[in-house]
Amino acid sequence: MSFFQEQAVTSSDKTFFRLREEIVEGEIAAGSKLSEVELSTKYEVSRAVVREAINRLEACNIVERKANVGARVVTLTAEGLIELYQIREALEGMAARLAAQNMPEAEIEKLATLLDDQFELVKQGQSYYQEAGDLDFHYRIIVGSQNQQLITMLSNGIYHLARMYRVQLGMTGPRVTTAYDEHKHIVRAIANRDGELAEILMRRHIQYSKNNIAVKLSKM
Amino acid sequence: MSFFQEQAVTSSDKTFFRLREEIVEGEIAAGSKLSEVELSTKYEVSRAVVREAINRLEACNIVERKANVGARVVTLTAEGLIELYQIREALEGMAARLAAQNMPEAEIEKLATLLDDQFELVKQGQSYYQEAGDLDFHYRIIVGSQNQQLITMLSNGIYHLARMYRVQLGMTGPRVTTAYDEHKHIVRAIANRDGELAEILMRRHIQYSKNNIAVKLSKM
DNA sequence: AAAACACAAATTGTCGACAATATTATTATA
DNA sequence: TATAATAATATTGTCGACAATTTGTGTTTT
């Protein structure tokens, strides 16, 4: 389901991907301890590769580690969610601004038709904003920024953490129609090469989805 | 000279800090290869700890690694600098906005008096904006945001990379007086709890310093 | 002479074992 | 009984060795 397919060449890569998935998807509970020996027997690899995988997860802010004590999966809190979305707002806002400057016409075109196609599905009763569609939208704009460091930052680290929150809070359905409209406006601003507006709209869009999640979080 | 003193508990920490410093300060050249065995003999530690240090540097975007081939220090390019400052602009702009919301009065007070003290030095002919002063200013605002993830992101990763550019381009002196004024205005906006303005001013401030560096970079 | 192949050297990736530290359990003492 | 000191256990940190992969060299072939 990932667009930016990272390919695992080394055994450490595979372990990292697998462990990350199990954490993000909630198979390994938030806040739980990660024992190196336990995981190495479970995945049938040496402790060294598990260690390396955990180190990488730490760099993603998915686990926290204390020296000589060990690593724990981060706990999901309202504060953490807000912090994360503040960062997303800043970075993806900038990405939208840069995309308005740098995204090739052809890519903008494709993004627009993608939205149109999704709109057809909405009219036919299928709910838009099925995770994947939203993801695709955001990812294309991030790539459109053509800022390599920004792309790496968002798609390696922040994205997975954000998904962890959504998954574990059971965010599947809503925000159907409004999200579509918001996407549409953002694309229009990019097509008009209006970076200022694109940034403002993207930031609002992310603020809305933050509020949407925060509401659910407060009910738990 | 670092404010946020990270304390090295493990041998791997020490190696990481030391290696990072040597790279940032230019003792190890940009673009050069990092041999694990070579470094392990140089630092008198095992390859495992060097490996771990390099992995961490990779997460900071200070080195790039290719599987089964090795790690190289990143090369400094104009594009890389611009990308980095675009990210700084987004994140520190957000930090200033949040600081306007969250920074305790006492901290704002201290920041203001700090600037006043520095201004005295400027009047006495000492050049303001000696790296450290600027750094202190930015760091206090970042901390003032009270967004823990943002603080980590900036002070662990981005800051060191930015410093690497400045050091290796020989950015010591200029931007003396204007930078002081800019700082002053930002603090006033924060004191007035005007997050909107604080963000705008901080973003401009960073844009200016980017331009300042980019000029020097273009002359090389 | 250029290209393709085979071989050798060097480097990284992975492993199991040992050392150092933290946690838990036990005993001794007030 | 509660608390402090101590021993036992478990977990992480570090190391050296081996395996896998890449890179460089030399040879063969066209």
Side-chain angles (χ1 to χ4, degrees):
Chain A
M1 194 56 64
S2 272
F3 307 98
F4 42 96
Q5 66 275 4
E6 314 147 293
Q7 55 184 1
V9 23
T10 169
S11 169
S12 192
D13 291 337
K14 283 194 276 268
T15 308
F16 168 60
F17 292 146
R18 186 167 167 190
L19 190 51
R20 184 180 65 188
E21 174 149 343
E22 292 196 16
I23 291 173
V24 169
E25 303 300 327
E27 298 165 43
I28 296 177
S32 61
K33 184 166 195 311
L34 295 179
S35 163
E36 294 183 0
V37 288
E38 189 180 325
L39 290 172
S40 69
T41 57
K42 176 179 174 185
Y43 294 147
E44 292 176 318
V45 289
S46 88
R47 254 187 68 214
V49 330
V50 171
R51 231 182 122 71
E52 214 171 294
I54 291 178
N55 279 335
R56 288 210 246 170
L57 287 172
E58 187 190 11
C60 300
N61 293 311
I62 289 179
V63 314
E64 288 168 345
R65 149 169 291 184
K66 259 200 324 192
N68 289 314
V69 173
R72 308 192 78 89
V73 179
V74 295
T75 57
L76 303 184
T77 66
E79 296 76 38
L81 175 74
I82 290 170
E83 286 187 3
L84 181 64
Y85 270 74
Q86 285 167 345
I87 292 170
R88 277 194 64 190
E89 185 185 323
L91 291 181
E92 293 205 38
M94 177 59 79
R97 173 185 288 266
L98 296 174
Q101 292 172 22
N102 304 329
M103 200 167 178
E105 292 287 344
E107 290 299 320
I108 299 175
E109 198 81 24
K110 280 202 282 184
L111 186 52
T113 58
L114 179 85
L115 281 188
D116 285 342
D117 292 349
Q118 291 176 337
F119 182 59
E120 287 304 311
L121 295 177
V122 175
K123 280 205 302 188
Q124 294 169 21
Q126 301 199 34
S127 70
Y128 176 59
Y129 211 82
Q130 235 112 337
E131 199 70 33
D134 184 56
L135 210 69
D136 196 4
F137 174 78
H138 282 266
Y139 183 61
R140 283 172 190 248
I141 290 177
I142 290 165
V143 171
S145 77
Q146 299 195 0
N147 182 321
Q148 196 53 53
Q149 297 184 52
L150 188 56
I151 295 169
T152 305
M153 218 172 220
L154 282 164
S155 53
N156 273 359
I158 292 163
Y159 157 71
H160 293 282
L161 195 52
R163 173 161 173 82
M164 184 172 167
Y165 271 98
R166 286 202 303 275
V167 168
Q168 306 209 11
L169 295 177
M171 306 299 301
T172 43
R175 285 199 30 73
V176 179
T177 47
T178 52
Y180 169 74
D181 286 337
E182 289 164 22
H183 286 184
K184 192 104 188 184
H185 291 322
I186 292 170
V187 172
R188 189 175 302 149
I190 291 175
N192 290 337
R193 303 300 184 182
D194 186 343
E196 191 81 23
L197 182 60
E199 175 168 8
I200 291 171
L201 292 178
M202 178 62 89
R203 286 178 67 152
R204 281 199 189 170
H205 173 57
I206 291 173
Q207 284 170 11
Y208 292 150
S209 48
K210 177 188 71 180
N211 292 339
N212 195 46
I213 296 180
V215 168
K216 288 225 173 181
L217 188 63
S218 67
K219 291 179 182 169
M220 300 181 80
Chain B
M1 195 56 61
S2 270
F3 307 97
F4 41 96
Q5 65 275 10
E6 316 148 291
Q7 56 184 0
V9 22
T10 169
S11 168
S12 193
D13 291 336
K14 282 193 275 270
T15 307
F16 169 60
F17 292 147
R18 186 167 166 189
L19 190 50
R20 183 179 65 187
E21 174 150 344
E22 292 197 14
I23 292 173
V24 169
E25 303 300 326
E27 298 166 42
I28 296 178
S32 61
K33 183 166 195 314
L34 295 178
S35 162
E36 293 183 0
V37 290
E38 189 181 325
L39 291 172
S40 69
T41 57
K42 177 181 175 185
Y43 294 148
E44 294 176 316
V45 290
S46 88
R47 255 189 65 216
V49 330
V50 171
R51 233 183 120 70
E52 213 171 293
I54 291 179
N55 279 334
R56 286 210 247 172
L57 287 172
E58 187 189 12
C60 300
N61 292 312
I62 289 179
V63 313
E64 289 169 344
R65 149 169 289 186
K66 260 200 325 191
N68 288 314
V69 173
R72 308 193 77 88
V73 179
V74 295
T75 57
L76 302 183
T77 66
E79 296 77 36
L81 175 74
I82 291 171
E83 287 187 4
L84 182 64
Y85 270 74
Q86 285 167 346
I87 291 170
R88 276 195 65 190
E89 184 186 324
L91 290 181
E92 292 204 39
M94 176 59 79
R97 172 185 290 266
L98 296 174
Q101 292 172 21
N102 304 328
M103 201 168 177
E105 291 288 344
E107 290 299 321
I108 299 175
E109 200 78 25
K110 281 203 281 183
L111 186 53
T113 57
L114 179 85
L115 280 190
D116 285 341
D117 293 349
Q118 290 176 338
F119 183 60
E120 286 305 311
L121 295 178
V122 175
K123 279 205 301 189
Q124 293 169 21
Q126 301 199 32
S127 69
Y128 176 59
Y129 211 84
Q130 234 113 335
E131 197 70 33
D134 184 55
L135 210 69
D136 195 4
F137 174 79
H138 282 267
Y139 183 62
R140 283 171 191 248
I141 290 177
I142 290 165
V143 171
S145 77
Q146 299 195 0
N147 181 320
Q148 196 54 52
Q149 296 184 51
L150 189 55
I151 295 169
T152 305
M153 220 172 218
L154 282 165
S155 53
N156 273 358
I158 292 163
Y159 157 72
H160 294 281
L161 194 53
R163 174 162 172 81
M164 183 172 168
Y165 271 98
R166 286 200 304 273
V167 168
Q168 307 211 7
L169 295 178
M171 305 299 300
T172 43
R175 284 202 25 75
V176 178
T177 48
T178 53
Y180 170 75
D181 286 336
E182 289 164 23
H183 285 184
K184 191 106 189 180
H185 291 323
I186 292 171
V187 172
R188 189 176 301 149
I190 292 175
N192 290 336
R193 303 300 184 183
D194 186 344
E196 190 82 22
L197 182 60
E199 176 168 9
I200 290 172
L201 293 177
M202 178 62 88
R203 286 179 67 155
R204 280 198 190 172
H205 173 58
I206 291 173
Q207 284 169 10
Y208 292 149
S209 48
K210 177 188 71 181
N211 293 339
N212 196 45
I213 297 180
V215 168
K216 288 223 176 183
L217 188 63
S218 66
K219 291 178 185 170
M220 304 182 79

